[in-house]
């Protein structure tokens, strides 16, 4: 069984403040709040076997803060986590990885609305555009032992940093 945590990047600089949106960094407040979230997750006993992150700077910075917070040692950039990425690409990766064959805990760091939509597909089999992940917020899912998690996963956590901290 796989525990999957979908984590939205922390608070980033405003759109338009950087010429290339992919290079928009976390703000100081975003870094601080993300570190607090990482510390709280560690207190809860959560540890990730792997963090996959969007290639965008704000997501990579979030993943690094989670790593520095003691939640994981390994981060990999995963391009389908970029905005408008494809859930099926991640499902194919997961199906062919060791993480679906053993007890594991994974984190995916990405963007809204994609993370909310991915969670909806994994739980209900379609997107209803109802789940919203706040910045540095988390959706926790339990994936089934079967090879196809779409429409078969269970939601066990949906929390914003405001309620986590």
């Amino acid at each position: 069984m796989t525990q999957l945590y979908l984590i939205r990047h922390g608070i980033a600089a405003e759109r338009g403040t950087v010429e290339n949106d992919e290079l928009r960094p976390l703000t100081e407040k975003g870094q601080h709040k993300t570190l607090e979230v990482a510390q709280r997750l560690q207190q809860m006993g959560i540890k990730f076997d792997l963090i996959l992150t969007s290639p965008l700077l704000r997501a990579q910075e979030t993943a690094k803060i989670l790593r520095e917070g003691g939640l994981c040692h390994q981060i990999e950039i995963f391009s389908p986590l970029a905005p408008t990425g494809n859930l099926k690409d991640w499902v194919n990766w997961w199906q062919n990885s060791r993480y679906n064959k053993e007890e594991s805990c994974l984190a995916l760091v990405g963007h809204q609305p994609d993370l909310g939509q991915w969670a909806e597909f994994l739980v209900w089999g379609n997107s209803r555009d109802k789940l919203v992940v706040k910045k540095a917020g988390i959706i926790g899912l339990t994936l089934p032992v079967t090879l196809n998690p779409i429409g078969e996963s269970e939601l066990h956590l949906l929390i914003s940093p405001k309620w986590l901290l």
Side-chain angles (χ1 to χ4, degrees):
M1 172 173 33
T2 302
Q3 298 296 314
L4 180 66
Y5 291 86
L6 307 175
I7 303 172
R8 185 176 177 189
H9 64 79
I11 301 166
E14 292 292 322
R15 288 182 193 271
T17 57
V18 176
E19 189 174 323
N20 182 347
D21 187 64
E22 293 181 8
L23 299 177
R24 219 168 12 111
L26 295 180
T27 62
E28 261 187 62
K29 182 178 180 180
Q31 293 171 8
H32 180 72
K33 188 172 275 194
T34 302
L35 181 58
E36 288 182 321
V37 167
Q39 291 168 342
R40 182 69 182 113
L41 291 174
Q42 188 179 50
Q43 290 169 356
M44 295 168 61
I46 295 173
K47 258 206 178 320
F48 305 121
D49 298 306
L50 174 65
I51 298 173
L52 295 177
T53 182
S54 159
L56 277 63
L57 180 60
R58 55 194 176 272
Q60 288 186 53
E61 290 179 337
T62 298
K64 288 177 184 173
I65 291 169
L66 296 173
R67 181 185 64 205
E68 291 164 7
L71 297 176
C72 186
H73 296 294
Q74 186 177 358
I75 296 173
E76 291 181 18
I77 293 173
F78 191 71
S79 59
L81 284 166
T84 70
N86 190 330
L87 172 62
K88 289 182 181 178
D89 291 336
W90 179 80
V91 170
N92 288 336
W93 173 89
W94 179 74
Q95 288 171 334
N96 293 306
S97 76
R98 66 181 174 91
Y99 299 105
N100 76 343
K101 297 171 184 69
E102 58 187 49
E103 190 108 354
S104 60
C105 187
L106 303 173
L108 306 182
V109 179
H111 311 272
Q112 184 62 24
D114 300 329
L115 292 178
Q117 291 170 348
W118 284 25
E120 291 174 339
F121 273 106
L122 289 167
V123 173
W124 296 305
N126 59 47
S127 177
R128 300 174 182 185
D129 290 323
K130 299 294 182 193
L131 293 181
V132 176
V133 186
K134 298 289 186 183
K135 292 177 181 163
I138 303 167
I139 293 178
L141 303 172
T142 303
L143 303 184
V145 178
T146 65
L147 278 180
N148 186 4
I150 295 177
E152 301 294 325
S153 302
E154 294 179 8
L155 177 70
H156 68 262
L157 181 69
L158 174 58
I159 195 159
S160 70
K162 176 182 176 180
W163 294 103
L164 189 62
L165 306 174

